[in-house]
Amino acid sequence: MAIPLVLIVAITLADMRAPQTVHLGPLLVVAPAITISFAGYRLTALVGALAVGAQALIATVQAGFNENHVAQLIGLAFLSVFAVFVCFLRDRRSEELAQVRSVAEAAQRALLRPLPDRLGALHIASSYLAAAKEARIGGDLYAAARTGSRTRLIIGDVRGKGLAAVGEAATLLGAFREAAHQHATLPALAGALDRSVSRYLTEFPERDEEAKEHFITALLLEIPDNSPVIRMINCGHPPPLLIRSGHTTHLMSPDPAPPLGMWELGPDGHGMHTSSFRPGDTLLLYTDGVVEARDSSHTFYPLEQRVALWTRNSPRALVQRIEQDLCAHTDGALADDAALLAIQRTPPPRTGLHLSDLVHAEGVYYSGDTP
């Protein structure tokens, strides 16, 4: 507010002291023009009125009004009203954008419910980075569900962007949260999710030429509390990184399934891969927006190399480091949404468990665990 007032006073005094042939009054329009950049329409109107009053004062001091002074007053008044109108429109659009952001944030909280720090024997941390700066939701997704003495998790990536991708993500998340409690095995759960996605995709209008190309890559996990194993079905998703004893390895699936929504195009029966997941191990799940992020030289983000530097971090610290490093790698300009999910098995409580229960297991179910 001080700068426009100083300009009005300075221009007014300079014009009154200048020769009659010099007219500085028109410069008063700078005051309301500057006010638009930092104030609302009410303050802009006040500054515009002060500028018009200052122009009238100049005309009075300089031997009364003449045609030139009248023209300057009319022009200044018109430009001030125009500045107020522009500022009013900007303020209204800002309010609308704030409401849209509020709705988007509420939608994201409903769609991507915050995961708890702990679920059963797991310590969990997650992160979601939207590619669009003004967006809060997109086509990436993750969720977790507790069913008895096990935890089931999903991370996925919808092909495409925009509202259609958000709708598909919402469909899959809703189906997962319900089906995770209804199916005894992970393959049965995966099949139910594929059917849900397929039913949703059939609702695309026929004029959508890409309707048959819509699908969702996903990674389904099941982690029992009482056995140091992890069960996984990979539906065309990037393989997770397993962090163990300071080393990182990709947890590949020998029999990957097609993306959800495309199972009818592939062979029947997709195997479930079982691997060891010991206390202290960390599993990093991610979407392709992470590994396909490029820097200014079009170099992909080296996720495995960077994670190898932070193998001793907690899940929360690991996710935060990757998030910060990814933003630095891309200069804050992600080309695609990116989601991260770090899962660490915590040491079991001392309940007389034998060391033999914690040995490396590959495809073995332990006592007290339902396959």
Side-chain angles (χ1 to χ4, degrees), residues 82-324:
F82 180 74
V84 172
F85 178 70
V86 171
C87 192
F88 173 77
L89 293 180
R90 184 202 63 190
D91 289 351
R92 191 168 72 173
R93 292 193 64 181
S94 297
E95 292 176 0
E96 292 175 353
L97 180 59
Q99 292 178 353
V100 170
R101 285 177 175 173
S102 177
V103 172
E105 290 175 356
Q108 184 189 33
R109 286 192 294 270
L111 183 62
L112 287 180
R113 299 173 188 171
L115 299 181
D117 291 337
R118 292 189 178 275
L119 274 177
L122 306 177
H123 185 190
I124 300 176
S126 60
S127 173
Y128 190 99
L129 297 174
K133 292 183 179 180
E134 301 300 332
R136 296 294 184 271
I137 54 178
D140 288 4
L141 58 98
Y142 51 75
R146 285 285 295 170
T147 60
S149 60
R150 60 191 174 186
T151 301
R152 286 175 168 174
L153 302 104
I154 185 173
I155 185 169
D157 186 1
V158 178
R159 180 189 182 275
K161 300 179 181 179
L163 293 178
V166 175
E168 293 174 36
T171 297
L172 178 57
L173 286 173
F176 171 80
R177 288 167 180 146
E178 182 65 22
H181 301 278
Q182 296 180 348
H183 297 276
T185 65
L186 202 60
L189 172 59
L193 296 181
D194 176 74
R195 291 189 294 272
S196 295
V197 173
S198 297
R199 282 195 300 269
Y200 177 84
L201 294 180
T202 59
E203 297 177 1
F204 276 85
E206 294 181 359
R207 64 177 179 270
D208 186 353
E209 297 179 356
E210 296 184 353
K212 296 182 179 179
E213 299 179 8
H214 284 230
F215 56 81
I216 304 176
T217 67
L219 190 67
L220 288 167
L221 303 178
E222 182 177 273
I223 307 175
D225 293 344
N226 303 323
S227 302
V229 298
I230 185 169
R231 300 174 193 128
M232 176 180 72
I233 294 181
N234 192 330
C235 304
H237 200 77
L241 276 175
L242 177 65
I243 305 172
R244 172 180 293 164
S245 303
H247 301 283
T248 61
T249 55
H250 279 107
L251 199 59
M252 307 298 295
S253 177
D255 184 22
L260 298 177
M262 299 183 68
W263 278 31
E264 63 179 9
L265 303 178
D268 295 334
H270 302 288
M272 176 181 66
H273 176 56
T274 305
S275 181
S276 65
F277 190 52
R278 310 171 189 171
D281 289 353
T282 298
L283 199 65
L284 179 66
L285 316 182
Y286 54 91
T287 57
D288 59 8
V290 177
V291 291
E292 293 181 1
R294 299 170 182 257
D295 60 11
S296 57
S297 62
H298 303 288
T299 302
F300 289 117
Y301 181 69
L303 177 64
E304 186 174 6
Q305 296 178 18
R306 300 299 173 85
V307 171
L309 303 175
W310 307 316
T311 56
R312 302 298 181 184
N313 287 111
S314 66
R316 173 57 53 193
L318 176 62
V319 166
Q320 290 176 347
R321 283 186 176 274
I322 297 174
E323 181 178 333
Q324 295 170 0

